Amino acid sequence: MMNSSKVSYFTFGAYFDIGLFKYLFFLIFMCFYILIICVNLLLIVVICMNRSLHEPMYMFLCSLFVNELYGSSGLFPFLLTQILSDIHTVSASLCYLQIFVLYTYVNVQFYNLAVMSYDRYLAICYPLQYNTRMTSNKVAVLIALTWFFPLLAIIVMISLNASLQLCDNIVDGVYCNNYSVVKLACYDTTVNNLYGLIYTFIVLFGLTVLILYTYTKIFKVCLWGSKQTRQKAVSTCTPHLASLLNFSCGCFLEIVQSRFDMSSAPIILRIFLSLYFIICQPLYNPLLYGMNLTKIHIICKSILFGKM
């Protein structure tokens, strides 16, 4: 038995020798990372530099894009290094740092999507009171809380995990994730599991209920509302719902891959399932919102092609 403080590094068990193909995979993932940085930065700059976009919905979108840059930076540089390396190890401190970044990214994403659903609920169900209910101060507070609560929750989780005694240092995956490290513990991890269950039930389940409640109300208003109300709901809510479904499916695939025995599944499929939520979402959201929200689409088109 060895204490986790004495574990100086972790070894990843999911990597395998692909020969010269590693350079091809390196280029593919590098292109993904560059594209993620470019499209998210473009939309952040567009929203920040254009006063016509200084509205609550676009401020929440800006927070969403910042989070996607944050989450991508927690994985891609590490993944690119591992692809080219012949020895797939990482120091314990960097492993816990990666867990912190990736888990805060996931949590901030869910918080942000919940706040965006609440914003659409006010805009569609209470259009005349929207400006008084969703003030600039309230927007700033909601964005701050969207980041503060996940950071605090994951700090507690990392603190609990860092105190575990580990009997092994082989992580079953291509990057560090919380459950893979907890599985290495030598003794009972009831406290860690209990904290995870309580947090998941109270926070993530609570956010899901909030989202379902707001969209139930929105659909009721659209059902009995005017054609203009329905058009507004479709144009602003469709990208949000598509983003929510895509991200939820990605997280579900990662949970299935990490919690259940998938040793019989092809290794490439297992790696794809574990990477989907962090690779596809940061590309999916900017393209989705950039194409569907008219104001953003027009400004981006004028920047890229030099015409309105």
Side-chain angles (χ1 to χ4, degrees):
M1 182 183 295
M2 53 184 174
N3 191 282
S4 61
S5 61
K6 296 181 181 179
V7 175
S8 59
Y9 67 93
F10 291 98
T11 301
F12 297 100
Y15 287 95
F16 58 97
D17 184 23
I18 55 175
L20 295 177
F21 281 105
K22 66 182 181 182
Y23 298 106
L24 174 62
F25 281 104
F26 177 85
L27 288 175
I28 292 172
F29 281 103
M30 175 65 81
C31 290
F32 270 119
Y33 188 39
I34 292 172
L35 186 58
I36 287 171
I37 292 174
C38 290
V39 294
N40 281 281
L41 272 181
L42 173 64
L43 293 182
I44 291 170
V45 171
V46 164
I47 292 172
C48 292
M49 298 299 292
N50 289 272
R51 294 185 64 85
S52 63
L53 299 180
H54 291 183
E55 300 174 9
M57 181 177 69
Y58 298 107
M59 292 296 101
F60 295 134
L61 275 177
C62 190
S63 174
L64 195 74
F65 299 144
V66 169
N67 185 48
E68 285 164 356
L69 287 177
Y70 168 74
S72 300
S73 297
L75 176 71
F76 276 94
F78 169 83
L79 198 62
L80 292 171
T81 302
Q82 290 295 323
I83 289 173
L84 292 182
S85 177
D86 294 325
I87 302 174
H88 305 292
T89 62
V90 64
S91 67
S93 57
L94 284 179
C95 184
Y96 284 118
L97 177 61
Q98 185 175 56
I99 292 173
F100 174 80
V101 172
L102 293 181
Y103 277 68
T104 50
Y105 157 74
V106 170
N107 280 265
V108 169
Q109 194 84 347
F110 271 118
Y111 273 82
N112 218 127
L113 290 170
V115 168
M116 289 170 68
S117 70
Y118 173 67
D119 173 70
R120 292 300 84 206
Y121 162 71
L122 291 181
I124 294 168
C125 298
Y126 301 96
L128 299 179
Q129 304 172 36
Y130 178 72
N131 290 331
T132 57
R133 290 194 177 196
M134 190 60 74
T135 62
S136 57
N137 287 338
K138 189 173 183 178
V139 170
V141 169
L142 287 173
I143 291 176
L145 293 178
T146 294
W147 285 83
F148 175 75
F149 283 129
L151 290 173
L152 182 62
I154 303 306
I155 286 173
V156 174
M157 184 192 77
I158 296 294
S159 299
L160 290 173
N161 293 347
S163 63
L164 290 174
Q165 289 181 317
L166 306 181
C167 288
D168 202 351
N169 68 339
I170 299 178
V171 174
D172 184 21
V174 294
Y175 61 88
C176 291
N177 70 77
N178 183 62
Y179 188 67
S180 295
V181 173
V182 171
K183 285 195 299 184
L184 304 177
C186 300
Y187 60 86
D188 186 44
T189 57
T190 302
V191 175
N192 304 71
N193 294 331
L194 188 61
Y195 176 78
L197 288 173
I198 292 173
Y199 179 78
T200 300
F201 180 79
I202 292 178
V203 178
L204 299 185
F205 179 73
L207 294 177
T208 302
V209 169
L210 172 63
I211 293 170
L212 291 176
Y213 173 81
T214 56
Y215 274 97
T216 300
K217 292 292 185 180
I218 289 172
F219 290 145
K220 284 185 177 180
V221 169
C222 292
L223 188 63
W224 301 106
S226 63
K227 182 179 179 181
Q228 184 179 4
T229 301
R230 288 195 293 270
Q231 289 177 340
K232 180 180 179 181
V234 170
S235 64
T236 60
C237 294
T238 301
H240 179 266
L241 282 174
S243 174
L244 178 64
L245 288 173
N246 182 68
F247 189 66
S248 298
C249 289
C251 291
F252 177 75
L253 292 175
E254 163 59 8
I255 291 171
V256 169
Q257 197 277 145
S258 62
R259 296 278 174 155
F260 298 96
D261 182 16
M262 296 190 65
S263 56
S264 59
I267 186 66
I268 296 296
L269 174 62
R270 290 163 56 192
I271 293 173
F272 171 78
L273 293 180
S274 66
L275 293 175
Y276 179 86
F277 79 103
I278 192 66
I279 291 180
C280 293
Q281 189 74 4
L283 279 175
Y284 183 75
N285 274 344
L287 295 176
L288 183 69
Y289 286 105
M291 289 187 296
N292 284 278
L293 297 181
T294 306
K295 285 185 178 181
I296 292 181
H297 180 75
I298 291 174
I299 296 173
C300 287
K301 187 177 179 181
S302 68
I303 291 174
L304 296 175
F305 302 105
K307 60 181 180 179
M308 295 296 290

